[in-house]
Amino acid sequence: MNKDLERIMLTEDQIRARVKEAAAWLDEKYKNCTEPPLAVSVLKGSVMFFCDLVREMKTLVQMDFMTMSSYGHSSESSGMPKIVMDLAAPVAGRDVLLVEDIVDSGHTLVKMRELLQGRGAKSFTVITLLDKPARRQVEVKADYSCFEIENEFIVGYGLDYAQRYRNLPYIGVLKHEIYEKK
Ligand code: IMP
Ligand code: MG
């Protein structure tokens, strides 16, 4: 385990098993689609989850990426997520599958939903790896959530603290002293 972590919350095996279930749920959902859904990864946090998820799906999808930023270098959301890099593909008339790493305050998801529905998506489905319901500031819910977790700051499998720890293959709770020492 990385020395900056207090404990491992989700192992690689636990993540892999839930990703398979999520992919099966999506395959069922999209089984009658005539056009490939537009799968959107919200970067950078969802990148690991996104790649593993689409590889497990039988449904062919189009992949696109959007970078949102809300944190800067802190462990608290600014409440005003910004688009750092927009999608390449047009959204109008598409079945959009938004793939999130975590729904925390809910601000990012609300913003993404407004934006993509505003561009005329035919359907809009949100899947998130993690959900921290206790932290919600705006009412919003993913259609599918792999793990509901307690209010602890976690890193790994795409999630960062100040851009670090993203490439850990598991998810762990960061030691308090790491983000409190500043
Ligand atoms: P929001 O507060 O729901 O808008 O969450 C926005 C983003 O904050 C997520 O997509 C993550 O990138 C990040 N985030 C929320 N909680 C955590 C955490 O525990 N660790 C790392 N990043 C987090
Ligand atoms: Mg994120």
Side-chain angles (χ1 to χ4, degrees):
M1 179 177 83
N2 183 281
K3 65 173 175 30
D4 295 347
L5 300 184
E6 206 167 276
R7 64 185 173 89
I8 290 179
M9 182 184 272
L10 296 165
T11 65
E12 290 185 68
D13 284 349
Q14 285 173 310
I15 297 169
R16 198 175 305 117
R18 272 306 268 154
V19 169
K20 271 189 204 278
E21 289 175 2
W25 184 83
L26 288 169
D27 283 334
E28 176 63 26
K29 180 173 178 78
Y30 289 123
K31 67 180 179 208
N32 296 322
C33 271
T34 47
E35 286 285 305
L38 180 65
V40 174
S41 167
V42 186
L43 296 176
K44 301 173 220 163
S46 82
V47 69
M48 305 282 179
F49 176 46
F50 184 82
C51 293
D52 288 345
L53 184 70
V54 296
R55 270 187 295 195
E56 285 293 339
M57 288 174 71
K58 307 264 185 301
T59 314
L60 289 179
V61 297
Q62 187 181 338
M63 310 199 311
D64 209 338
F65 303 88
M66 187 158 180
T67 308
M68 298 292 285
S69 151
S70 65
Y71 271 43
H73 274 233
S74 99
S75 63
E76 284 293 320
S77 169
S78 65
M80 284 181 296
K82 288 186 187 63
I83 300 178
V84 177
M85 183 191 76
D86 205 344
L87 297 174
V91 164
R94 303 297 301 274
D95 292 298
V96 174
L97 170 63
L98 189 72
V99 181
E100 265 285 16
D101 51 355
I102 183 165
V103 185
D104 187 44
S105 69
H107 288 297
T108 307
L109 185 48
V110 166
K111 177 96 186 198
M112 295 289 293
R113 190 177 60 189
E114 276 171 15
L115 204 83
L116 299 180
Q117 284 181 334
R119 291 180 188 177
K122 179 163 96 187
S123 72
F124 187 70
T125 304
V126 180
I127 184 156
T128 186
L129 178 66
L130 302 151
D131 186 6
K132 277 190 205 169
R135 295 260 306 168
R136 210 70 95 245
Q137 291 172 11
V138 282
E139 217 189 300
V140 65
K141 209 174 178 328
D143 298 284
Y144 192 102
S145 153
C146 295
F147 300 98
E148 232 179 61
I149 62 167
E150 298 296 313
N151 182 12
E152 289 179 292
F153 196 80
I154 50 167
V155 294
Y157 196 64
L159 292 149
D160 73 307
Y161 171 66
Q163 302 304 328
R164 297 182 62 194
Y165 313 106
R166 289 194 197 273
N167 64 321
L168 296 176
Y170 47 80
I171 293 175
V173 178
L174 193 62
K175 284 182 181 161
H176 284 254
E177 66 215 53
I178 303 289
Y179 53 94
E180 278 163 4
K181 71 179 163 210
K182 323 210 149 185

